[in-house]
Amino acid sequence: MLGGYGFGGILADDMGLGKTLQTIAVLDTEKEVSLIVCPTSLVYNWASECEKFAPHLKVLTITGSQAQREEKIKEIPNQDIVVTSYDSLKRDTQKYKDIVFNYCVIDEAQYIKNSNTQNAKAVKEISCKKRMALTGTPIENRLSELWSIFDFIMPGYLFSEHEFRNQLEMPILKEQDEMVLEKLKTMISPFILRRLKEDVLDELPDKTETVI
């Protein structure tokens, strides 16, 4: 629905509730080449999940040396889904400048929580019709992290970074302004789907964290 109206969205379900599968299902409904950007450790996981749940889709992983990646980038027009890492993308940004993707999906979107990083700048330069962010932690430490993700999915919707800080972030954090907090919630809620494990699967045990 969001894509149909030209909006972006954040899928912020808890870990283990199927963000990857939901994304593959969306991409499978539209047979246009889409880009998935994820941490390096997840590139082949995405490829295997696509093979498992949508084996009819042509999936290309952009990995290897710079020369190997450049050769693979030439194959993009013949693919359904292209998967690359944040590290590779920020090195290859110029190679993508003439390509327009249907969807650009960023996984573990907290990787762009700092808007000044190369990761954030690289994904925001990708040309695409629709943008989607996947993250179980849309806010880890500061509200500005949410701004950076929104600056990817819908640039300008939460104003400039300076305006966001002055009009929303500072009144909420420093003054505990409930009205401003409600305003922010109202603005972002139509574009975020967040389900918690306890809301979906009662039988799942609590997450166990071990600090080593």
Side-chain angles (χ1 to χ4, degrees), residues 7 18 28 35-36 48 60 66-67 81 99 111 120 124 128 139 150-151 157 169 178 183 203 210:
F7 297 125
D28 189 28
L35 176 68
I36 296 170
S48 65
L60 176 68
Q66 183 167 352
I81 295 177
I99 304 172
Y111 271 62
K124 292 172 186 180
C128 59
I139 303 173
F150 263 89
D151 190 47
Y157 179 70
E169 185 176 20
E178 291 292 331
K183 176 184 177 181
E203 70 273 18
T210 305

Side-chain angles (χ1 to χ4, degrees), residues 77-203:
N78 302 316
Q79 307 300 316
D80 294 311
I81 295 177
V82 177
V83 187
T84 192
S85 67
Y86 290 101
D87 284 338
S88 293
L89 182 64
K90 63 189 179 187
R91 292 174 171 82
D92 301 334
T93 306
Q94 288 304 308
K95 305 296 180 185
Y96 290 89
K97 61 183 175 59
D98 296 324
I99 304 172
V100 179
F101 293 97
N102 184 31
Y103 271 99
C104 179
V105 180
I106 59 170
D107 190 15
E108 301 292 348
Q110 62 270 23
Y111 271 62
I112 70 161
K113 65 183 181 181
N114 184 336
S115 61
N116 295 315
T117 62
Q118 290 300 313
N119 284 341
K121 292 175 181 177
V123 297
K124 292 172 186 180
E125 286 187 32
I126 292 295
S127 297
C128 59
K129 300 173 186 175
K130 307 160 205 171
R131 297 170 185 260
M132 190 188 312
L134 315 180
T135 175
T137 52
I139 303 173
E140 289 185 306
N141 300 305
R142 300 180 304 165
L143 281 177
S144 59
E145 299 169 4
L146 184 68
W147 179 88
S148 186
I149 297 175
F150 263 89
D151 190 47
F152 164 72
I153 63 168
M154 292 194 296
Y157 179 70
L158 289 183
F159 320 119
S160 69
E161 190 169 15
H162 177 73
E163 289 173 310
F164 177 82
R165 185 178 299 115
N166 288 341
Q167 296 181 28
L168 297 169
E169 185 176 20
M170 288 300 102
I172 291 170
L173 294 182
K174 287 193 171 181
E175 301 162 25
Q176 282 76 52
D177 191 316
E178 291 292 331
M179 289 183 64
V180 176
L181 179 59
E182 284 304 312
K183 176 184 177 181
L184 178 60
K185 287 180 179 178
T186 301
M187 290 179 70
I188 66 175
S189 61
F191 309 103
I192 300 178
L193 174 62
R194 179 164 177 79
R195 300 178 304 153
L196 304 178
K197 280 185 178 178
E198 55 266 29
D199 300 330
V200 179
L201 296 167
D202 294 335
E203 70 273 18

